[in-house]
Amino acid sequence: MRSVREIFKNKEYLLDEPEIIKLIDYCEELQDEIVEFKFHKTSNKELAMIDMLKEVIKGCNAIEKEQMEHERFGYEAPDYETTISNLKNYIYSRCRDEKIWL
């Protein structure tokens, strides 16, 4: 599967288009649903870890986007401390729910 960045590597300016943003969000939702379906189908902890990592990457991408918007448009800077805390809490919560011990 190709990443969004690979698909738009020669035309990254398109990533700012509202329709493209909606399409990317929709694709991410579908990817999440596929992972969730596979997990329920197999109850495999590896798939739970993959799903969790995808959520973490999605969170990282969102904070990177906020940073780019801050730099580009002067919007409020991202709250990295809260983001890191939320990501850690999410990881620990999912691990506890899935009985994955780090």
Side-chain angles (χ1 to χ4, degrees), residues 1 23-41 47-59 61 90 94 98:
M1 180 185 320
L23 180 61
I24 291 168
D25 290 343
Y26 179 69
C27 288
E28 288 176 351
E29 287 176 25
L30 289 178
Q31 287 174 343
D32 292 344
E33 288 179 21
I34 289 168
V35 169
E36 195 69 28
F37 173 77
K38 286 180 180 177
F39 174 72
H40 287 298
K41 185 177 176 184
L47 291 176
M49 291 294 289
I50 290 170
D51 182 46
M52 184 175 17
L53 290 171
K54 284 185 176 189
E55 287 298 316
V56 170
I57 293 297
K58 191 187 311 182
N61 288 340
Y90 170 76
R94 281 293 303 266
E98 306 294 342

Side-chain angles (χ1 to χ4, degrees), residues 82-96:
T82 300
T83 300
I84 291 168
S85 178
N86 289 341
L87 286 172
K88 283 174 57 178
N89 289 337
Y90 170 76
I91 290 169
Y92 289 134
S93 173
R94 281 293 303 266
C95 285
R96 187 178 52 250

Side-chain angles (χ1 to χ4, degrees), residues 33 39 60 63 72 75 96-97 101-102:
E33 288 179 21
F39 174 72
C60 292
I63 203 76
R72 184 173 180 193
Y75 292 162
R96 187 178 52 250
D97 292 347
W101 313 115
L102 300 177

Side-chain angles (χ1 to χ4, degrees), residues 3-15:
S3 72
V4 172
R5 295 275 175 219
E6 287 176 314
I7 294 169
F8 289 98
K9 70 180 176 183
N10 295 326
K11 295 184 180 184
E12 285 195 10
Y13 65 90
L14 291 174
L15 293 173

Side-chain angles (χ1 to χ4, degrees), residues 61-81:
N61 288 340
I63 203 76
E64 285 175 338
K65 181 179 176 185
E66 281 185 52
Q67 179 64 38
M68 288 188 322
E69 289 174 350
H70 168 69
E71 291 169 3
R72 184 173 180 193
F73 302 112
Y75 292 162
E76 185 176 328
D79 183 356
Y80 295 108
E81 187 175 326

